[in-house]
Amino acid sequence: MRTQSETAVANADLVLFVIDARAGITPADKTFAEIARRTSGKILLVANKCEGKAGSGGFYEAYELGLGEPVAISAEHGEGLSDLESEMLDALGLHPVARPKSRRRTRREAAKAPASAATGADSDLTDIGDTEDTEDTSTDDEGNAFADPARPIRVAIVGRPNAGKSTLVNTVLGEERMITGPEPGLTRDSVSTDLAWRGRSIRLFDTAGLRRKARVQDLAEKLSASDAIRAIRFAEVVVLLIDANRPFEQQDLVIGNRVVEEGRALVIAVNKWDQVTEPQKVLKDLRETANEKFAGAAGVALVPVSALSGRGVDKVMQAAVEAYDIWNRRVPTSALNRWLDEALTRHSPPASSGRRIRIRYITQASSRPPTFIAFCSKPSDLPQAYIRYLVNSLREAFDLPGTPIRFALRKGANPYADRR
């Protein structure tokens, strides 16, 4: 942790040196002030907890550090933050951006506005929005969608505690960015890092390990687990990292099915592959198990990897990018309906109450994940087994492995409804 902090200080353009004004200057403050003073960046001294008179003594003691005049704030109560913002802008040679005057919205305008506009959230996890409804993609002649290249692909690394998630992220980045060790639970928050991989912009999220809910008792672990689940919800591609020595335990299956339910593209990475004695046999068995346990994402990519040595890491990133492209794919309506005619010819829908169920038309409503709507005469009577047949045939015909497919049925309009 100290090494990470020193690296952050060395790379920063501005260092905010925060002290506890109520506790006064401690020996640790003096030691860390020496470390900060050795950096080439600018240092801004911040005295926190200055609300009331209790912090006045520590505020004046802060001059002993030789870091200039302290800025008095109260982070908990929001006092002095505007002064801190001004000092930060001055230290960096920046100027505040003039914000346009906003007109008060009427109740009707507020009701029509989307929820995301009301919240204004822009953090790493909340700025993604509703990815299932995002249609800011263009398609080529074959119907393949390409997302905005300016936006990075959001890839979350998830798994059980001590599976090697942070080690994998460090290997991908080529530096000791995350804290690692043999003890489980070192990662507490979802930490994002931007990188470029073969011309693709990627935002990589390292998450805390997820244990069974009944075993999570500590408040900090509850918050960590909640943050990891939130990362799954707002990621675009999720890499499920499992241990080759204990593959597909119950918790692995719970996490993987949670990813499929959220509609995210899934990639399975099998870590500690250098410890496997019969790799070909084990890999075959694992692929069969993955297709059986994750039927909602059949054909999911399964990549052997050794996070410690770096073996297979490049293939994991390649699989994540390919899964993202499939997740964004659009299929032309004409090709869909040609496929539907062939699928109905091979295996026609069963009859309901002596009358045949007719599926007349199909279209793709959206991507991310691919979502299809079929217009049917009796949607409620079509068996789930037949719907699974259509989904599996659709996945095979248009090469959609490893991504959840949403398939909805809608009753078609009656052409004789307006006739008397």
Side-chain angles (χ1 to χ4, degrees), residues 291-354:
N291 289 328
E292 177 186 351
K293 299 299 183 180
F294 303 120
V300 57
L302 193 144
V303 185
V305 65
S306 174
L308 198 58
S309 65
R311 176 187 173 188
V313 171
D314 202 52
K315 293 181 180 179
V316 173
M317 299 305 298
Q318 179 65 33
V321 171
E322 291 175 354
Y324 175 77
D325 291 337
I326 294 173
W327 192 63
N328 280 280
R329 185 170 297 168
R330 267 193 167 276
V331 182
T333 303
S334 57
L336 277 173
N337 284 278
R338 285 195 298 268
W339 160 82
L340 180 62
D341 291 339
E342 296 175 359
L344 295 178
T345 302
R346 287 195 305 268
H347 186 20
S348 60
S352 174
S353 302

Side-chain angles (χ1 to χ4, degrees), residues 23-46:
I25 300 301
T26 64
D29 290 329
K30 296 180 180 179
T31 301
F32 298 141
E34 289 295 331
I35 296 175
R37 194 179 289 109
R38 288 196 296 266
T39 64
S40 58
K42 298 180 180 180
I43 305 174
L44 190 60
L45 183 58
V46 181

Side-chain angles (χ1 to χ4, degrees), residues 153-188:
I153 304 173
R154 293 170 174 85
V155 180
I157 312 293
V158 302
R160 291 185 283 110
N162 220 23
K165 299 179 293 297
S166 297
T167 304
L168 177 62
V169 173
N170 286 340
T171 304
V172 172
L173 299 177
E175 60 177 299
E176 295 296 321
R177 177 67 177 83
M178 308 299 171
I179 300 174
T180 60
E183 304 86 358
L186 290 178
T187 303
R188 289 295 192 182

Side-chain angles (χ1 to χ4, degrees), residues 53-83:
K53 297 180 179 180
S56 58
F59 173 80
Y60 291 109
E61 286 183 19
Y63 284 93
E64 299 178 8
L65 298 176
L67 299 178
E69 182 178 357
V71 180
I73 70 165
S74 172
E76 183 177 0
H77 301 284
E79 297 177 6
L81 296 184
S82 59
D83 296 334

Side-chain angles (χ1 to χ4, degrees), residues 147-410:
D148 183 2
R151 293 186 59 184
I153 304 173
R154 293 170 174 85
V155 180
I157 312 293
V158 302
R160 291 185 283 110
N162 220 23
K165 299 179 293 297
S166 297
T167 304
L168 177 62
V169 173
N170 286 340
T171 304
V172 172
L173 299 177
E175 60 177 299
E176 295 296 321
R177 177 67 177 83
M178 308 299 171
I179 300 174
T180 60
E183 304 86 358
L186 290 178
T187 303
R188 289 295 192 182
D189 301 314
S190 296
V191 181
S192 65
T193 308
D194 292 337
L195 71 147
W197 185 85
R198 295 186 181 179
R200 303 294 292 266
S201 179
I202 296 176
R203 179 165 296 167
L204 201 60
F205 288 87
D206 181 27
T207 64
L210 292 171
R211 296 199 298 167
R212 285 193 302 171
K213 190 174 182 180
R215 293 186 177 181
V216 179
Q217 302 293 336
D218 183 60
L219 177 60
E221 187 175 1
K222 289 181 180 179
L223 295 175
S224 299
S226 176
D227 200 31
I229 293 173
R230 189 162 167 259
I232 293 175
R233 184 182 306 150
F234 291 111
E236 295 168 320
V237 181
V238 177
V239 177
L240 173 60
L241 193 65
I242 65 176
D243 192 332
N245 299 315
R246 298 183 300 163
F248 292 120
E249 291 191 348
Q250 181 61 31
Q251 186 63 8
D252 295 326
L253 302 180
V254 171
I255 298 172
N257 283 307
R258 179 63 179 265
V259 174
V260 175
E261 290 172 4
E262 293 290 347
R264 306 304 170 221
L266 177 64
V267 173
I268 300 176
V270 187
N271 194 21
K272 305 177 184 178
W273 193 251
D274 49 349
Q275 301 176 12
V276 176
T277 55
E278 299 180 359
Q280 296 299 327
K281 179 181 180 300
V282 173
L283 185 60
K284 180 182 178 182
D285 294 341
L286 290 179
R287 282 180 173 153
E288 292 177 356
T289 303
N291 289 328
E292 177 186 351
K293 299 299 183 180
F294 303 120
V300 57
L302 193 144
V303 185
V305 65
S306 174
L308 198 58
S309 65
R311 176 187 173 188
V313 171
D314 202 52
K315 293 181 180 179
V316 173
M317 299 305 298
Q318 179 65 33
V321 171
E322 291 175 354
Y324 175 77
D325 291 337
I326 294 173
W327 192 63
N328 280 280
R329 185 170 297 168
R330 267 193 167 276
V331 182
T333 303
S334 57
L336 277 173
N337 284 278
R338 285 195 298 268
W339 160 82
L340 180 62
D341 291 339
E342 296 175 359
L344 295 178
T345 302
R346 287 195 305 268
H347 186 20
S348 60
S352 174
S353 302
R355 301 188 63 178
R356 180 181 169 190
I357 300 176
R358 297 180 180 274
I359 303 177
R360 299 184 177 88
Y361 180 77
I362 187 173
T363 185
Q364 183 172 357
S366 64
S367 57
R368 309 163 63 87
T371 302
F372 303 91
I373 297 178
F375 295 88
C376 178
S377 59
K378 294 183 178 180
S380 59
D381 293 342
L382 196 65
Q384 287 297 321
Y386 192 80
I387 295 176
R388 285 195 298 271
Y389 156 72
L390 292 177
V391 171
N392 292 334
S393 176
L394 187 67
R395 188 188 301 278
E396 181 180 356
F398 296 105
D399 192 23
L400 299 171
T403 190
I405 293 179
R406 302 284 191 253
F407 194 91
L409 295 172
R410 190 172 296 175

